Amino acid sequence: MTKLILNRRTFIAGAGAAASAFAAPAILSAQSIWRRYPFNLGVAAGDPSPDGFVIWTRLAPEPLAEHGGMAMQPLAVTWEVASDDRFATIVARGDAVARPELGHSVHVEVAGLQPDRPYWYRFRAGGERSFDGRARTLPVAGSNLAALKFGVAGCQAYDDGYYTAYRHLAREDLAFVYHYGDYIYEYRNGTVRPGFTGGVSVAVRESVGDMLYDIADYRRRYAQIKSDPELIRAHAAHAFFHSFDDHEIANNWTQDHDGDTPPEAFRLRRAAALQAWYEHMPVRRAQMPRFGDVAMRRAIRFGDLAEIDILDTRQFRTAQPCDDGFKTRCEGMSSANASVLGAEQEAWLTANLRRDPARWNCLAQQIMMMALDRRTREEPAPIYNMDSWAAYEAPRRRLLNRMAGLNNVVVLTGDEHQNFAGLLHDDDRPVAVEFVATSISSGGDGQDLRPGSDRILANNPQLKFINDQRGYLTCEVGRDEWKTNYMVVDRVSTPGGALSKRATVSVARGTPALTVA
Ligand SMILES: [Fe+2]
């Protein structure tokens, strides 16, 4: 076995590599082993608990170069956590190893911290120091709490627009951010593709590379996106709970299927994509892929105020009926064998909804649960989104039936690239509310109402609010009222978009009804 020799020369990024678009932001220190600054992807924290959180970074002196510009050897990294933003009082520190097997990413599960307060963290490697990040621990589970404010964000197609919403999100005072996925999109660069909103989508900026298939492809795409200064800012400001949706791998995949690809071939692409997802997300070791699968679902207790169940609506779902797409009814929609969560996850969720009650039960997931008629013009029969819960009638009915009587369920959703708020019915009775968050950038600038939205509102009395601008949600959870703020930016096609609060939609605990203000 060859002994690893970690010397100065080994870690100098390859000379003569093409100049990166991401020039080193810092002057390298005298003791530095680096030719370029290695922390270009920033830092992140995630999965906070009452006594800690994960801290993350990935060494990439040249983010777009092969291996991020790293030599293919492990490298020692140190980390520290402080109780103040000047790092005067260090409360935890340690060593970690950035390994080539994991793209030189580092995940540290920090523990032993105090509940419900902010901490600051940073890394060092080879004589250089990272940016500082900040993260809050959660309150003690079950403790009596008056309020919680958290953010909801996702769908950040790089080509579609700037991440201005993230710059604004970074300034919010939040306990954490829930990310509903589509952190990357797998599409090739520069594609003028069918727009998410109809017509064509014209690139504002260009993703690097071709369509993503192997681990190097996915790593490079993450490296580019993670280099975005506004995204870096958001991660440095808040801990995130990450999930994934479809575009972390491929459009509208479920289980081992993405349409026409043989499942055994798709499995290989899926495994590569989920490894890259793990490498770039501040998630726990429990979320490390095992034989290509990720244990993504998890439950968060926020004192006695809220239980948040993060759901996985992709890995265990049966394929979309009616060959996917936006279609009129087909027989497959009522299949008794259809599943969104899979039997095991569904049993887990049912048990969570039944146990010792929090004031609010929140399902943080990906695809829309309201069964909306999507007709935007005169057409003879209702049209449904086959990639949403609407097309999975049996499991949808089972879940809504379990929510009935709780009268404290809030469903959070992404995927649609539009804002929605509405009611979920078990038979004719409203049993829960759903807040659908728009996108950070996917779909481009948008407008208040997309053409045809008036018809969608008219055809769907359960729908109370719709908006087609980019942005994020903030949820202000009190003991008796849940308020969701729809924060939107006026544009993403050029930098510097202005933020405004488009609406606040609220629900009283015990009464599944919405007030729009
Ligand atoms: Fe998306």
Side-chain angles (χ1 to χ4, degrees):
M1 218 158 135
T2 318
K3 194 175 168 222
L4 293 173
I5 300 166
L6 309 184
N7 63 22
R8 177 185 165 88
R9 209 164 37 118
T10 312
F11 291 99
I12 291 177
S20 162
F22 307 94
I27 295 167
L28 299 181
S29 69
Q31 328 84 315
S32 181
I33 64 164
W34 307 95
R35 184 166 294 197
R36 294 170 192 270
Y37 186 65
F39 293 104
N40 295 302
L41 311 189
V43 299
D47 278 44
S49 64
D51 81 330
F53 37 73
V54 179
I55 56 173
W56 170 94
T57 193
R58 180 189 161 200
L59 303 176
E62 294 177 82
L64 303 187
E66 190 180 22
H67 306 138
M70 290 294 291
M72 290 305 271
Q73 292 184 15
L75 180 63
V77 175
T78 61
W79 56 270
E80 53 192 6
V81 175
S83 57
D84 64 293
D85 62 355
R86 298 174 158 199
F87 289 83
T89 307
I90 305 294
V91 296
R93 56 159 46 105
D95 303 315
V97 179
R99 297 186 184 281
E101 290 88 343
L102 291 170
H104 291 101
S105 62
V106 180
H107 299 71
V108 177
E109 296 191 30
V110 181
L113 306 180
Q114 296 299 310
D116 201 16
R117 56 149 298 160
Y119 287 95
W120 289 261
Y121 62 92
R122 62 191 182 190
F123 296 90
R124 282 194 177 78
E128 291 302 332
R129 201 173 77 193
S130 73
F131 307 95
D132 304 341
R134 178 188 173 281
R136 284 194 72 94
T137 49
L138 298 187
V140 173
S143 58
N144 187 277
L145 285 172
L148 157 68
K149 184 174 181 182
F150 68 99
V152 182
C155 285
Q156 49 199 58
Y158 186 83
D159 306 50
D160 283 10
Y162 290 92
Y163 292 168
T164 315
Y166 269 134
R167 172 180 292 253
H168 295 294
L169 181 72
R171 293 199 192 107
E172 301 267 5
D173 183 14
L174 304 173
F176 56 82
V177 175
Y178 165 61
H179 195 289
Y180 49 80
D182 286 4
Y183 197 96
I184 61 163
Y185 285 74
E186 79 282 15
Y187 299 121
R188 67 174 54 86
N189 70 332
T191 314
V192 178
R193 56 180 179 271
F196 294 114
T197 62
V200 292
S201 171
V202 179
V204 166
R205 49 186 185 168
E206 276 194 18
S207 287
V208 62
D210 204 326
M211 184 75 93
L212 310 183
Y213 281 96
D214 69 16
I215 183 75
D217 299 339
Y218 284 102
R219 278 177 178 159
R220 194 155 76 123
R221 186 65 59 86
Y222 276 105
Q224 180 185 27
I225 283 163
K226 282 263 174 200
S227 302
D228 182 282
E230 294 173 321
L231 180 63
I232 288 175
R233 234 178 251 261
H235 280 296
H238 309 297
F240 277 54
F241 284 102
H242 284 282
S243 66
F244 50 74
D245 196 9
D246 54 334
H247 291 287
E248 278 81 358
I249 303 175
N251 185 45
N252 285 8
W253 69 279
T254 58
Q255 285 185 26
D256 294 343
H257 313 287
D258 73 339
D260 301 334
T261 313
E264 63 274 21
F266 178 66
R267 277 292 293 192
L268 299 175
R269 183 186 191 188
R270 200 187 95 155
L274 289 180
Q275 181 180 336
W277 175 84
Y278 172 77
E279 289 171 355
H280 293 85
M281 297 296 116
V283 291
R284 293 183 183 268
R285 252 184 303 281
Q287 277 71 53
M288 186 186 275
R290 287 177 61 83
F291 307 110
D293 297 325
V294 169
M296 192 264 266
R297 71 162 193 247
R298 49 223 198 268
I300 310 153
R301 292 305 291 267
F302 198 89
D304 68 344
L305 191 58
E307 155 128 3
I308 302 177
D309 293 316
I310 298 178
L311 306 185
D312 179 340
T313 58
R314 291 283 167 197
Q315 275 188 114
F316 309 102
R317 173 144 58 112
T318 50
Q320 295 89 350
C322 322
D323 284 331
D324 204 3
F326 281 52
K327 303 258 176 71
T328 53
R329 279 199 70 80
C330 73
E331 221 175 285
M333 282 175 65
S334 53
S335 165
N337 299 322
S339 185
V340 174
L341 302 175
E344 199 188 328
Q345 183 175 209
E346 198 174 312
W348 168 86
L349 178 60
T350 302
N352 289 357
L353 289 174
R354 272 190 199 139
R355 75 178 169 192
D356 150 46
R359 297 289 292 178
W360 298 93
N361 274 299
C362 174
L363 275 51
Q365 48 109 50
Q366 293 81 37
I367 52 167
M368 195 193 274
M369 205 170 281
M370 282 183 282
L372 295 187
D373 173 0
R374 307 295 186 125
R375 279 178 293 181
T376 54
R377 54 197 162 86
E378 193 61 50
E379 272 167 300
I383 289 176
Y384 299 100
N385 177 359
M386 297 299 159
D387 188 47
S388 76
W389 283 88
Y392 296 79
E393 291 177 341
R396 181 177 182 276
R397 201 172 307 116
R398 276 199 303 273
L399 182 53
L400 292 175
N401 190 258
R402 281 170 199 139
M403 292 177 184
L406 291 173
N407 288 328
N408 70 348
V409 179
V410 173
V411 178
L412 297 175
T413 301
D415 183 57
E416 294 277 346
H417 307 163
Q418 279 198 92
N419 285 311
F420 298 89
L423 304 177
L424 293 163
H425 290 80
D426 178 35
D427 293 323
D428 289 335
R429 191 162 52 126
V431 294
V433 299
E434 181 174 27
F435 300 116
V436 181
T438 181
S439 54
I440 289 288
S441 57
S442 304
D445 286 341
Q447 60 247 297
D448 187 39
L449 286 181
R450 197 178 282 187
S453 291
D454 48 344
R455 189 176 289 263
I456 289 185
L457 278 168
N459 284 342
N460 297 281
Q462 75 274 41
L463 185 62
K464 306 300 177 190
F465 173 70
I466 186 167
N467 162 268
D468 180 29
Q469 287 171 286
R470 309 288 73 80
Y472 56 88
L473 308 182
T474 59
C475 298
E476 295 180 61
V477 185
R479 294 193 74 79
D480 298 306
E481 190 187 32
W482 178 306
K483 285 199 242 178
T484 297
N485 303 304
Y486 287 82
M487 309 302 294
V488 300
V489 288
D490 63 356
R491 64 184 192 279
V492 295
S493 54
T494 54
L499 183 75
S500 63
K501 188 187 288 184
R502 172 62 188 80
T504 296
V505 184
S506 46
V507 55
R509 185 174 176 277
T511 313
L514 292 174
T515 309
V516 182

